[in-house]
Amino acid sequence: MKTRRDFITDSAAFAALGLGGCWGGTRSILPARALAASPNYWCTWCAQDAAFTAGVLADRSRRPKGGNTTRDGIDEITAFGKGGFASFFPESRSELMLVFDDGWDVPYGAQPRDCREFAAMFPHPQRFPSFKGTPAERLAELVARSRDAGWGGVGLWTCAQTQCEYDHPDWKGLSAEEEWKRKFDWFAKAGVRYLKVDWGNRCGDVAFRRMLSRVRDQVAPEVLIEHCVCQIPLSGFDEKHRGGSGRRLVGPEDAKLRDLERQILPFSDCWRIYDWYDPLVVPQALDRTLCDLKLAEETGSKAIVSTEDCVYLGVGLGCAFGGMRGPWQPHPGIFPEGQEKCLRLKELDRAVRWARLAPAFGPTDGFGVRWSEEVLSDSWRVTKENFWFAAAHGLDVVQGAPARISRGLPLPEVRTAGSATPYVACARHPNGALSALALPRVQEGAWRTPLADVTLAAELTPGVPLGVFGRFGSLAVRVQPGCRVFAQDLADGRVHDITEEVHFESGKLVLPGALLARIGKECDTDASQPGTLVWTA
């Protein structure tokens, strides 16, 4: 796993990566390794939850003693035991960091009210009993075990706070900066590469977060810091009026969040869009990603936006992702038909491979984000069984996002035969790579993508990759006369010469949606949305 110094964020450097004609013909243009590093990771949080709801812990020789909360679902057994977290995604984990989430460094049964227990920053002895030695040595064991399992690196979750301010005996008498200098020294010695900073009593303290980044620069410059601020998983939600139809980029309900983000983004390496309400994940993630990209541009930040488990959205818009899906299913039966993430694992493999060709990039001149005035909205009835946020129970919550979003390209043209329209996004990467996404809607209790004919305002030149994610009626893009067209499943399928199966109209290549779906699911063993690599020669 490359380090933060290897991240490329300007168009000139990306152009030097060499896309555009160096590959072609029947040989795949998918490289065996990434052209540049992306801060992509897989996080244990949802799998911790599923460890209980799926009954995975029932047959373990040692069960957590603190109850069945998600926080208690991570320990040495669930992480490194047979079939544990470290064994997930064998085809992709060498290109991902494994991030140990909330619970890894506290005793079983710890709750947020026990503030002084949090941010210990070494594997807790109850949970990882075989790890011995100093905090740095215990962390080094965590990194070594993860790398031995094939992961590209290790990241750590922490809440935004210190232990010294609670007179914790290990840190009594020290300042916050002195405490975190020691902790970053542990990270440097152990080889930790990522810090996911989340809730905590200093969550909204800009000076504290700036201190973390400053100390990192001094002590452990190879560590990437993901800053994000705690927020409810509904955009535009006003608890007093019990609303929920607004958007993150506009409206008074989220104004404080936007102001806080403007202050933190300038010194952030990564910014996560934060938690959402699963049935309405697409409009929420689209709107938050747009908001975060726009605010990063406004503030001159170079932060890379992370779209959490929306892996196609992340790589398709040149962002990073933090996958949380896994073969264990949390909360079975509460999602719309077709949305179950445990049945869509191949999407993560495809996202990793596309990131080889189009690495994540921060705000870059000429590659800004655009969005349509038209807004699409989806709704879902919130119940106690399908959502923990009590203020929304019993409501038909509405979440909206622009119908079309682009980055580095004009907005795509979208035409549909019926009344339903998908969310559509597209991007041009600074190295020239193109991407197009058609994303599902929640309609009549199901998670489906209305088929649309989409046209990109771009030219697909020989050897340049086009990543196509989701289901389309058709996808059109300009091409050079007389070219041949090739495609393969991004999950490493075989190369197909599809020249005789596509259409050429007025200088444009028209890719039939059924053809893209057939090839883009060639390697599937599950219900993943298609992901297809296309190029011309």
Side-chain angles (χ1 to χ4, degrees), residues 14 33-34 78 122 168-169 261 279 318 324 332 345 359 386 401 421 428 469 506 519 534:
F14 270 123
R33 60 182 179 83
T78 56
F122 62 88
H168 192 286
E261 186 172 349
M324 292 196 290
L345 303 184
N386 68 26
T421 303
R428 178 169 61 95
F469 302 93
S506 304
I519 294 174
V534 179

Side-chain angles (χ1 to χ4, degrees), residues 134-342:
T134 65
E137 290 169 339
R138 291 170 183 263
L139 284 171
E141 178 69 13
L142 191 72
V143 172
R145 293 279 294 273
S146 301
R147 286 193 171 277
D148 288 347
W151 292 87
V154 166
L156 306 172
W157 177 94
T158 186
C159 54
Q161 62 187 52
T162 67
Q163 293 187 312
C164 63
E165 62 193 298
Y166 294 101
D167 290 329
H168 192 286
D170 293 344
W171 303 101
K172 193 172 184 178
L174 294 181
S175 67
E177 186 161 337
E178 290 169 331
E179 176 183 330
W180 275 97
K181 278 185 177 180
R182 290 191 188 181
K183 289 175 177 177
F184 275 108
D185 183 58
W186 299 346
F187 303 159
K189 290 176 179 176
V192 172
R193 289 292 175 258
Y194 201 88
L195 191 64
K196 179 182 179 181
V197 187
D198 202 338
W199 61 264
N201 70 325
R202 299 291 192 95
C203 179
D205 186 337
V206 177
F208 173 80
R209 288 177 178 270
R210 186 180 288 111
M211 179 273 291
L212 289 181
S213 291
R214 183 179 66 252
V215 169
R216 181 277 313 276
D217 289 343
Q218 297 169 356
V219 180
E222 306 304 323
V223 177
L224 282 164
I225 297 182
E226 172 193 287
H227 286 289
C228 62
V229 294
C230 192
Q231 52 196 277
I232 64 172
L234 293 174
S235 298
F237 192 93
D238 184 331
E239 291 194 48
K240 181 178 180 181
H241 300 100
R242 305 189 81 191
S245 58
R247 292 171 45 219
R248 184 59 41 92
L249 186 60
V250 297
E253 295 87 353
D254 297 310
K256 290 182 178 179
L257 283 172
R258 295 194 299 271
D259 181 62
L260 190 58
E261 186 172 349
R262 287 187 181 97
Q263 297 178 65
I264 299 173
L265 271 168
F267 56 83
S268 299
D269 299 312
C270 298
W271 183 276
R272 179 166 58 93
I273 65 174
Y274 212 74
D275 302 343
W276 52 61
Y277 176 46
D278 260 307
L280 303 178
V281 60
V282 173
Q284 287 184 304
L286 273 170
D287 188 56
R288 292 181 184 200
T289 301
L290 165 61
C291 180
D292 297 341
L293 287 171
K294 182 62 177 173
L295 293 180
E297 291 174 4
E298 287 181 5
T299 59
S301 170
K302 290 298 182 183
I304 290 175
V305 173
S306 176
T307 62
E308 211 164 82
D309 192 67
C310 283
V311 296
Y312 280 178
L313 174 63
V315 296
L317 283 179
C319 299
F321 66 83
M324 292 196 290
R325 67 191 70 189
W328 304 345
Q329 168 73 314
H331 310 302
I334 69 169
F335 302 122
E337 177 190 351
Q339 194 183 35
E340 296 90 343
K341 290 185 290 187
C342 71

Side-chain angles (χ1 to χ4, degrees), residues 34 37 111 122 126 162 167 205 229 245 330 357 361 391 398 403 421 447 451 464 478 486 523:
Q111 298 295 328
F122 62 88
Q126 277 188 356
T162 67
D167 290 329
D205 186 337
V229 294
S245 58
L357 287 161
F361 65 98
V398 178
T421 303
W447 202 61
L451 298 183
V464 169
R478 297 194 308 274
F486 301 89
C523 296

